[in-house]
Amino acid sequence: DVQMTQSPSSLSASVGDRVIITCRASQTISTYLNWFQQKPGKAPKLLIYAASSLQSRVPSRFSGSGSGTDFTLTISGLQPEDFATYYCQQSFSTPLTFGGGTKVEIK
Amino acid sequence: EVQLLESGGGLEQSGGSLRLSCTASGFTVTNYAMSWVRQALGKGPEWVSGISYSGGTTYYADSVKGRFTISRDNSKNTLYLEMNSLRVEDTAVYYCASSGGPNVLDNLDYWGQGTQVTVSS
């Protein structure tokens, strides 16, 4: 199974900040990497697919990069509605696996 | 509007069975693979099972293999998860999710609101 490791597990940031979340795969997964946002009591929401493609209707302040084993999610200009938990997920092979999550909190 | 609605969750004793359903509206599931993903309280999502668009290929996490069965009825636009030999560690919110294409490895782009499954000892 492909193990996904995210860092940091949590961070505090202010509105307007640039936030970077990293994700590392235990083996090369090309660009088969997706990012999700989850708010309390809600289902995960797809933000980025194929490492860097923005899902429809997702604000352009979200961006993704990386390939192979190392990936990043960047939020450029954090907005109040962006405080949430973010998960990476690999779609290279089954079982699909998720990272442990990064909780973005208000400073 | 695309919607996925899960049902069938509840409280069950260890060793018991439950059947979850997920009915889609606003789109036809025929062309899309589907998955079940669960999330225990305070934990990250865990993919449980997936099924190809035709139902011809199924996949399972090791933690549920041999106990859970995924199936679909495209004529009813519905996905199912038969859960047997339930364990306390199966307690979680169960989400159904559709893939953006016919393969289980395609993006999980639409999710339901989830149904709670609680297994007591």
Side-chain angles (χ1 to χ4, degrees):
Chain A
D1 298 2
V2 181
Q3 306 303 317
M4 307 301 295
T5 304
Q6 279 182 244
S7 61
S9 57
S10 65
L11 63 91
S12 295
S14 301
V15 172
D17 283 353
R18 181 171 179 245
V19 168
I20 297 175
I21 298 169
T22 65
C23 179
R24 175 165 288 175
S26 61
Q27 65 184 73
T28 184
I29 59 170
S30 185
T31 57
Y32 293 97
L33 190 283
N34 309 307
W35 289 98
F36 292 86
Q37 176 194 66
Q38 187 176 32
K39 296 181 179 179
K42 300 293 187 182
K45 172 188 172 184
L46 181 65
L47 298 177
I48 301 284
Y49 63 95
S52 60
S53 296
L54 196 65
Q55 176 68 349
S56 177
R57 292 189 293 275
V58 172
S60 59
R61 62 181 178 273
F62 291 94
S63 63
S65 65
S67 67
T69 61
D70 294 306
F71 304 87
T72 60
L73 172 69
T74 301
I75 310 172
S76 301
L78 197 66
Q79 296 300 300
E81 59 269 29
D82 300 336
F83 292 96
T85 301
Y86 294 84
Y87 295 97
C88 61
Q89 176 248 326
Q90 63 82 18
S91 53
F92 178 78
S93 64
T94 58
L96 307 181
T97 48
F98 292 81
T102 297
K103 187 173 184 178
V104 177
E105 298 176 302
I106 301 172
K107 182 182 284 185
Chain B
E1 181 190 5
V2 172
Q3 283 195 323
L4 296 169
L5 184 64
E6 303 95 338
S7 60
L11 175 63
E12 184 57 67
Q13 288 191 330
S14 180
S17 298
L18 281 173
R19 188 196 199 202
L20 305 184
S21 300
C22 170
T23 301
S25 60
F27 79 111
T28 303
V29 302
T30 306
N31 297 327
Y32 302 102
M34 304 283 291
S35 284
W36 288 98
V37 178
R38 68 186 180 185
Q39 189 169 27
L41 189 64
K43 303 293 186 182
E46 178 192 13
W47 178 85
V48 170
S49 180
I51 187 168
S52 63
Y53 75 103
S54 65
T57 308
T58 58
Y59 307 84
Y60 298 94
D62 285 346
S63 57
V64 306
K65 200 172 293 182
R67 300 187 298 121
F68 290 10
T69 302
I70 191 171
S71 62
R72 63 192 298 161
D73 185 338
N74 286 345
S75 69
K76 295 182 178 179
N77 236 23
T78 300
L79 174 73
Y80 303 100
L81 186 68
E82 187 76 39
M83 304 188 295
N84 297 319
S85 302
L86 283 165
R87 303 170 180 169
V88 171
E89 55 265 36
D90 294 322
T91 296
V93 174
Y94 283 71
Y95 297 100
C96 71
S98 67
S99 296
N103 192 302
V104 166
L105 296 177
D106 292 321
N107 315 316
L108 299 173
D109 55 0
Y110 290 108
W111 295 60
Q113 87 292 341
T115 187
Q116 176 70 46
V117 170
T118 303
V119 183
S120 66
S121 56

